[in-house]
Structures are given as structure tokens and as C-alpha cells.
Amino acid sequence: MAVQTLPFGTLIAVDRQSAIPIFRQIANSLIKLIRKGKIKPGYQLPATRDMASMLKLNRTTIVAAYEEMQAQGWLEVIKRKGNFVAQHLPVTSPKSFEASTQERLLSLDQKIFYRQIAVPQPLTRQLKPYQMMINDGYPDARIAPLDLIVDRYKFLSGRTNVHNRLLADGSKGSNLLRTELAHFLSKTRALDITPEQVLITHGAQSAISIAASMILQPGSTVVVGDLNYPLADRLFEQQGAKLIKVKVDHNGIDIDEIENICKQSVPSLLYIVPHHHHPTTVTLSAERRNKLLDIIRRYRLPVIEDDYDYDFHYENAPILPLASAEHDNFVLYIGSISKTLSPTVRLGYLIGAEDFIWQASKLKQVLDIRGDVLFEESVGHLFNSGEMQRHLRRSVKLYKSRRDEFCEILNSSLGDHAKFNVPNGGMAVWTLFDPGYSIPQLSERLAAQGIYLNDGSIYKYKDDTNGMRLGFASLNTNEMQSFAHTLKKSR
Amino acid sequence: MAVQTLPFGTLIAVDRQSAIPIFRQIANSLIKLIRKGKIKPGYQLPATRDMASMLKLNRTTIVAAYEEMQAQGWLEVIKRKGNFVAQHLPVTSPKSFEASTQERLLSLDQKIFYRQIAVPQPLTRQLKPYQMMINDGYPDARIAPLDLIVDRYKFLSGRTNVHNRLLADGSKGSNLLRTELAHFLSKTRALDITPEQVLITHGAQSAISIAASMILQPGSTVVVGDLNYPLADRLFEQQGAKLIKVKVDHNGIDIDEIENICKQSVPSLLYIVPHHHHPTTVTLSAERRNKLLDIIRRYRLPVIEDDYDYDFHYENAPILPLASAEHDNFVLYIGSISKTLSPTVRLGYLIGAEDFIWQASKLKQVLDIRGDVLFEESVGHLFNSGEMQRHLRRSVKLYKSRRDEFCEILNSSLGDHAKFNVPNGGMAVWTLFDPGYSIPQLSERLAAQGIYLNDGSIYKYKDDTNGMRLGFASLNTNEMQSFAHTLKKSR
């Protein structure tokens, strides 16, 4: 090598799995070294050939990296001499101001105070890009008509004045989507609502979050199922509320127990998932719904009815929501469009009395102004053209057959090691494993095959519950077979 | 008319401005009447010709409305007899349960308790679809490369396993976009950050909201400018904090006053807009920034630096953010992609120490799981390909010339009735009108021309401030001329 140089082979790490092209990674690493002062202006970088051999990469990759740095102004190429770190670095172009050297009066380890969020181990930190994912009940994004939505988005974005018209729809969300939803919900769920009673949100979770924020304050009490959807529990706790847990059996949440609680002191809120309760997938029976409606009206008990799974019911017709009966505006109804299209799409809705929704839209304005109204409008068009309804019918048919296929696979692969009931709807099977069956070990074995399965720590519902929701809707036959293969070996 | 019939001319209202086709509006109105029991199963609707004359519409519109109702199962057509409301209405297909008739123990007017949100008059309730909108500082969505974003979205959505890979990126947002932003912010703002220090949010407002939620609790104190961005003030109040207002002059917020406050008791948070303070558009001087950094470190004062306007600076280079200097992790930095693309796109970012961002991503997970990662990835690609940077350069050039054109128009149209300083960046001119000049009257005159201008009630900053932000970036020459025309008549 012509010049004594830094150990770039160890200084620069390349991640071949990354979405960032390798030449960009190299350029970024070098820029970082320059910014940190480890490489000074005027420093001569190794020739591309030398750098390539140090990093064990193709020379063209290094050429591209240097060109990138040159384009950004970090590198100067002097003909027949080489590549030098620029004398005037691009960072100095904005007007700078010198940080004062005044001594600090307080110790350095006194840090900014901020909340520690009590999500035991979130869904996502441990995830690597797997070949395939066993989730806890997502739709199959591959069959969703996302292309139609973005075609419409593109069409609308090019039209004069569309943006102004959509901004005029305000924090509640696109008028078209709200109108279509009011119509769709009235047709499918007998909800007697106007578009002014619909708030579009970033998914059902955001709808729960806004509804709860409107009602809860520190010290409030929330009745939830035992077991319950963990992210709802964490959300209510986050808002300072105390959870009161009520048993859930094969007919849903225990209504008598709710009444007993109300007799002592009416809670601030009841959260229920009437179709396919999370995690156990049971449906709240019609008889219990009647009883619950009485309690709601008698005790003036505010309810969040999270009915995200209503459209995916396979055996018989779904039971109408509480929100479709007379409830004196005490029932807030929540649904999800993410569950119909793709978990990457964030769209849900909150239904309530007109003034409640008006106030909630003001809360939404303060929290994040509005949603992506152009995207919402495009989804509204999908309803309007009937494509969404067709997609739903196709999905229900497909997911029903996937459920059957998946349950057969579970039966033949797990044998006596697990119990489950075939769910009559939804996208997941609630599977209770033997106490001796190790979910973390299964997770590891699957990971070795490129299949992601949560190791059980996210949905550690209770210490004595060795259970897990296994999502089937997003898996095709091949994927189910791969899963079965590893399951069998894990017995 | 052949049959005695209801007064459909008054029962059915048609809105020709609506995005919903008229035939759908009519079908919806009729379905509503059926659902409310005003029209019973078996009822014969007027013939299309008669209905058309009652509603003063074309007969083909009524035919389309009836066909829609028939397709949905609300209407039965009996040949040579007419159109009858179906005997079996579609609402009865889901399994129903009877609402109990039990008497209510509490009075009907006792309602669900919920918050009233203190946004004086939100942006949006009064808006109709105008020809044109004078906003308070939005970019021109018509020049944004939204088509490239959705092309990429479409490309990605069709690829195997993209959804799983993106879901693995988790609540922080798309890895690609975070990597690109870390790179972009390091290049343009000298922020020395990794992608793990970036949280993608639904616009800058959501970034403020998440950052504030991490730090504030009921009884907290927040120092803000006087005047200040009203939606930030409302947000902090919403979270139970008390505002401490500090004067803003032509060099930005008064730092000595902030120090005096800290000497008595260090506030929970300081919120600043260092470039183009909202509403007055002044820039915080380099000298004051140095002083402020000292105070931040000395008093361990947490700061939200809302630098949404950094990329739009026209006269000289912008001043580097506080976040680029040594601040012991006490400065949280916020920016907006919505301001670069379109107000309909909801993308912003929050920058902080890695653990802070990790905790904030868990809060985001509880609030709304994640953003639309497929859309985020597509925007990441726009940065990666350099298109975003090119778009920014084009925008800055265009907005600078629009600013000059707009200021000339204000000068010649308003004469002595208003004062303003030409802003050195941003997308709006802070205009102070004579005490006698009526903004509501101007707003009305503009409305008559199809031009929306807020009547002043949203940004009623103070009783003695007859001022308004007039956005220029989204107006082309023709639109500015229309505005000028009405302004001149309004003197």
C-alpha cells in the first residue's frame, strides 16, 4: 500500500442483510469517521483497489462509495494524486455556533427524566427479517388490493384542488371514507349512524387510545377480561387507570361479575372484545349481551366495544354489536381496516355520539392534526366501488379454508402436547400447550428455519398459562407445511 | 302520481358539492328512512319518473339509486308493478338480539362523562370545499413527488415477504427511512445520530405529542414563547401541564427570562421553535442559542426543539440546531416531512438518545402500534434515490420567489393597513393588521370569491394582536393575483 493507513477493515462494518446498499454503508461509515474527527480534512484515503482488498469487497463498490462522498462534498479527487478528505467539510456550510465551555454545575449522570413504558417485551425489538412469520392474527397483505388504493391515490394527487378539499374534511378524516363506513356499518352491523359519528384513526389501537383518553384520568378504573389483549391493558395503565379483571369463559366475559362490581362502585370504563375475545377467541353470547346492555343503561357504564374481528366470522352470521342496540350513547364502537387489508396499513375507526366524536376529533387534532386524508379518500373509493366488499368476501372464504387446514396441521403435528378449540372466526387459534412444552425452544427451532414465532414473552398472559395465539390467515399452504415440519420435530 | 306517497322532496336532501355521487346520496337517504321505520317493508316507492320530478333530478339518477338499493337488498322490483321495500331487510341477516325493555333507573339526560377539548375553534369545522385556500404555511402539494412514492409503494406491496420485513422494523418505523433520515440530518444539520435515535411519527405534531407525553405529568410546567404555536400550547395543557409564557422579540425567545425562571424552579420542559418561530417567523439568534445551551446544561432543562422549518431558509445558511451541539441528551429534536411534501402526508420524526427513543417507541406501540411502514419505506426510497433532496432544492427556489411575489402583493394591496417583515424562511408571512381592520370581514369577502381564509378565530393569539400568518408557499401566481384582487377591494 502506498500510504500508511487506518485499519479500515475493522473500522467499517458492512451489513449484507441491510436495505441500504453496501456502497452507501461504506460512504456513511467513512463520513461518520470524518465527523467524529478520526479522519481529518486533507487525509488521503486508500486507493479504491487497496480499500477493496481491506474490506474484501469488489472495487466497483468502493468507487461508488467514493463517488457518493465526492457528490456530497466530503471528498476531493485530485487527479493522479488520490482521494482526499475535503478541506471544507459540508457540515460547516450552515452557520455554526460554538458550544460554550462553561463548567457544568450538576453531575453528568443526572439525566433527563422520562417515563419507562411498561410493555414487557414489545413485538418488534427482537425481530430479524425472517422468511416467514407466525403472527398472532394478521391478515394476508399479499391478497389485499393495495395496488387499487395507490392507483387512486396517484390519480387524486394529480388533480387540482383535491388537497384543499381533503384538508377541509378536517381531523375526523376523509368525508368519503366516513360516509362509506357509515353506510357499510349500517349494512353489516345495523349501526344507525351518520358520517359525523365516525372518527378515522391510525388503526384500532389508536381508536382505543383516543376513546380512553377522552374518558380516563389518573385513578380511573377499567374493567377488562382475564385474560385480555395486553396492549389495551398497558394503554389503560399508561393513562393512569387501575385494571379490574373479570373472568372470561366459553361464552365471553362474566356479566354477573361486572354487575357485582357496578353495585359497589361504577367503574370508569368497561373494555370488551365481543367477537373472538383476545386472546381466547370466544364470542360473547347473545344472552350475555342482553344482560350487559341492561347493566350499561342501568349503571350508566361507559363501554369500549372493540369489534375488530366482526367481518371475519365463518360458521354462522355474527351477532350484532351492542352499539346497534339502544345504549343511551354509552357504547363506543371500534373497528379496524388494517385487519381487512394489511397490518402495514394503519386505519381504524371510532363510532360514538356526534358531540363525542366532535370532541374526540379535537383531541386528535392536538395529538397529530389528522390522518393521511389522501390515502383515506383512496380507501373510501375502494368501498364506494365495491372492491373492498369483494375483497372481504374473498378473504373470508380463503381464511375459513386456511383455518381448517391449519387446525388439521396443529392436530397432526402437536398431538397431545396442546389443546385448542377451532375458532368460529378471526385469524388466530388460541393454543394451550402442556406445562412441559417450551414455547421459547419452539421459537428457537423455528428461527433456525427462518420462521419467526414470538417466544411467548410478549403474550405472557399469566404465569400458569402456557398459551399462544397462532395466526393462520397470513399463511399459504406451503408456509403452513414448513411450520408443521418444525412442529413435528419439536414434539 | 299513481300512489299516495311521502313528501320525498323534503325528506331527501341532495348536496351537489359532496364527493358522494347524487344517486348514492338518494339511496342512502331512502335506506335511512327504511332503517328508521318511516318506510316499512312492502312499501311501494314512487316510480322513477315521479321521484325524479319530486326531487327535481334527472330520471337516470333515480334509476341508478333504485338499482343500488336493489343490489344491496333493500328494494324488490316486481315486474309491471313497481319498486317495493324488501320484506326481508338486509339488516336482519346478522343474528340479532332483542334490546331489553327494562326501565332505566337513572334519568336519561345523565350522559357519559368525557373531556371537552380546549381547541378554541379548530381549523376544520367551518371549511367548505373552496377553490383555493390561504393557509398558515403549508407546502404546495401539487409539486411534491407523491407519484414516485406510491409507485414505490405499489412495487413493494407486490413483493413476497416485504410486509414481514417491514413489520420487523417495529414501532420506531421503517429502517430504511430512519437510516436515510439519520444520514440526511447529519448532512444538513450536523446531528451525529444513528438510526436507532430516530422515531418516525405521524407528522411533527405527533412527535411533539409523544415527546411531551414522555416527560409531562399533571402539574408539570412548560415554558413556551409568547406568542406561540397554539396547537402546542393546547397539547401541553391537555396533558395537564401549566404554561409559563416568555416574551419573543426579533431575535427569538428571551433567554434571560428563561434563566430567571430556572433560578426559581427548573420547569419540566421548554418548547422552542428556533427557525421561524410560530407565529412571528423570527429566528433564534446564534448568540441566544449559545446562552440557552449553557442554561440547558447548567439547569438540566429538558427541551423540545421544534425545527420544522429548517430546510426552508432563503437568505443565508440556517443556524445549526441546538441538538447538534453538546447538550447531555437534554434536547429532543423534531422535524417534519409533511412540510416537505404535503399536509395530507403525515410524517415527522423525533430525535433523542437511543434509550429515550426506545422508550418512546414503546409508548407509540401502546398508542397506535406503528405507522404505515410500507409508505415510510417508500419515502425512504425517495431519500435514497436523491429525489427528495432534488425536490427540496426545487421547492426552496420556488418558495423563495413566491415569498417575494407575495410580499410585493401584500405591500401594494394592503398599503398602510398592515405591517409585516419579509421572513427569511418558512412558508408564511406574519401580518399585523391595523386595529380597525376586520379580519372576519376580509375572510367573508374572500369566501364570496371561493377563497378560504380563516376568520382569525383559530389563531386568536391575544386580544390586542390583530395578526395572522398568511401562507404563500402553496399559491401560484394566478392564485396570488386573485387574493390581491379581493385584498384591494377590502381596504
Side-chain angles (χ1 to χ4, degrees), chain B residues 107-126:
Chain B
S107 78
L108 255 177
D109 56 329
Q110 187 181 334
K111 281 190 187 151
I112 186 171
F113 165 79
Y114 52 87
R115 296 186 186 208
Q116 303 294 310
I117 311 300
V119 180
Q121 186 178 0
L123 183 60
T124 46
R125 193 172 218 187
Q126 58 179 314

Side-chain angles (χ1 to χ4, degrees), chain A residues 242-257:
Chain A
K242 203 176 140 276
L243 303 181
I244 306 175
K245 300 189 176 191
V246 168
K247 203 173 73 245
V248 177
D249 63 25
H250 61 286
N251 279 319
I253 199 164
D254 185 334
I255 304 297
D256 294 335
E257 182 61 29

Side-chain angles (χ1 to χ4, degrees), chain B residues 106-361:
Chain B
L106 291 173
S107 78
L108 255 177
D109 56 329
Q110 187 181 334
K111 281 190 187 151
I112 186 171
F113 165 79
Y114 52 87
R115 296 186 186 208
Q116 303 294 310
I117 311 300
V119 180
Q121 186 178 0
L123 183 60
T124 46
R125 193 172 218 187
Q126 58 179 314
L127 293 188
K128 295 258 178 298
Y130 285 89
Q131 295 297 312
M132 157 187 166
M133 187 188 266
I134 314 285
N135 53 54
D136 77 318
Y138 287 161
D140 193 340
R142 295 169 296 192
I143 65 163
L146 299 179
D147 51 340
L148 296 180
I149 297 173
V150 296
D151 282 349
R152 186 71 186 175
Y153 185 102
K154 196 170 169 178
F155 169 76
L156 288 171
S157 75
R159 294 185 71 185
T160 318
N161 216 31
V162 160
H163 296 274
N164 284 349
R165 177 171 67 73
L166 288 172
L167 290 177
D169 289 354
S171 295
K172 279 187 188 173
S174 143
N175 273 342
L176 176 64
L177 181 55
R178 287 189 290 116
T179 305
E180 287 296 328
L181 274 175
H183 181 75
F184 175 77
L185 297 176
S186 125
K187 213 178 135 184
T188 56
R189 289 148 169 86
L191 296 187
D192 184 18
I193 52 168
T194 69
E196 296 310 311
Q197 294 178 256
V198 182
L199 177 76
I200 308 293
T201 63
H202 300 292
Q205 185 75 22
S206 167
I208 306 172
S209 158
I210 288 175
S213 288
M214 291 287 290
I215 292 170
L216 301 181
Q217 42 199 353
S220 292
T221 48
V222 184
V223 173
V224 297
D226 181 15
L227 314 170
N228 188 39
Y229 173 49
L231 284 181
D233 286 353
R234 294 300 86 71
L235 174 66
F236 302 140
E237 285 172 346
Q238 187 59 35
Q239 295 176 336
K242 204 176 140 275
L243 303 180
I244 306 175
K245 300 188 175 193
V246 168
K247 203 173 69 242
V248 176
D249 62 25
H250 61 287
N251 280 319
I253 198 164
D254 185 334
I255 305 296
D256 294 335
E257 182 61 29
I258 294 174
E259 178 154 27
N260 284 338
I261 291 164
C262 289
K263 273 179 189 160
Q264 283 168 35
S265 164
V266 179
S268 319
L269 184 66
L270 164 66
Y271 170 79
I272 53 162
V273 190
H275 274 107
H276 325 136
H277 180 78
H278 190 116
T280 63
T281 77
V282 296
T283 297
L284 186 63
S285 68
E287 189 199 341
R288 288 200 186 175
R289 289 179 193 229
N290 267 333
K291 263 182 158 174
L292 181 54
L293 271 172
D294 276 349
I295 292 169
I296 290 167
R297 288 183 305 228
R298 195 135 35 93
Y299 294 96
R300 325 304 287 166
L301 172 64
V303 177
I304 291 180
E305 183 177 24
D306 181 355
D307 210 8
Y308 71 91
D309 246 357
Y310 183 91
D311 292 312
F312 298 93
H313 209 77
Y314 309 130
E315 296 309 318
N316 36 38
I319 305 180
L320 285 182
L322 296 174
S324 71
E326 186 53 66
H327 56 74
D328 301 351
N329 287 332
F330 273 78
V331 177
L332 301 166
Y333 187 77
I334 281 170
S336 169
I337 298 175
S338 307
K339 282 278 176 187
T340 312
L341 291 171
S342 158
T344 60
V345 170
R346 303 312 301 157
L347 276 180
Y349 46 85
L350 169 62
I351 312 291
E354 188 170 334
D355 184 68
F356 182 91
I357 293 300
W358 169 236
Q359 295 294 335
S361 80

Side-chain angles (χ1 to χ4, degrees), chain A residues 259-322:
Chain A
E259 178 154 26
N260 284 339
I261 292 164
C262 288
K263 273 180 188 159
Q264 284 168 35
S265 163
V266 179
S268 318
L269 184 65
L270 164 66
Y271 170 79
I272 52 162
V273 190
H275 273 107
H276 323 138
H277 179 79
H278 189 117
T280 63
T281 78
V282 297
T283 296
L284 186 62
S285 68
E287 188 198 340
R288 288 200 185 175
R289 288 179 194 227
N290 269 333
K291 262 182 159 175
L292 181 54
L293 271 173
D294 276 349
I295 291 169
I296 291 166
R297 287 183 305 228
R298 198 137 31 95
Y299 294 97
R300 325 305 287 166
L301 172 64
V303 176
I304 291 180
E305 183 177 22
D306 182 354
D307 209 8
Y308 71 91
D309 246 357
Y310 183 91
D311 292 312
F312 298 93
H313 208 77
Y314 309 129
E315 297 309 317
N316 37 36
I319 305 181
L320 285 182
L322 295 175

Side-chain angles (χ1 to χ4, degrees), chain A residues 197 199-217 220 222 232 235-236 239 241 268-272 302-306 329-335 349-353 356-357 359-361 363-364 367, chain B residues 112-117 238 366-367:
Chain A
Q197 294 178 256
L199 178 76
I200 308 294
T201 63
H202 300 292
Q205 184 75 22
S206 166
I208 306 173
S209 158
I210 289 176
S213 288
M214 291 287 290
I215 292 171
L216 301 181
Q217 43 201 350
S220 292
V222 184
L235 174 66
F236 302 140
Q239 294 175 337
S268 318
L269 184 65
L270 164 66
Y271 170 79
I272 52 162
V303 176
I304 291 180
E305 183 177 22
D306 182 354
N329 287 330
F330 273 79
V331 177
L332 301 166
Y333 187 78
I334 281 170
Y349 46 85
L350 170 62
I351 311 291
F356 182 90
I357 292 300
Q359 295 294 335
S361 79
L363 177 60
K364 180 167 173 60
L367 294 176
Chain B
I112 186 171
F113 165 79
Y114 52 87
R115 296 186 186 208
Q116 303 294 310
I117 311 300
Q238 187 59 35
V366 166
L367 294 176

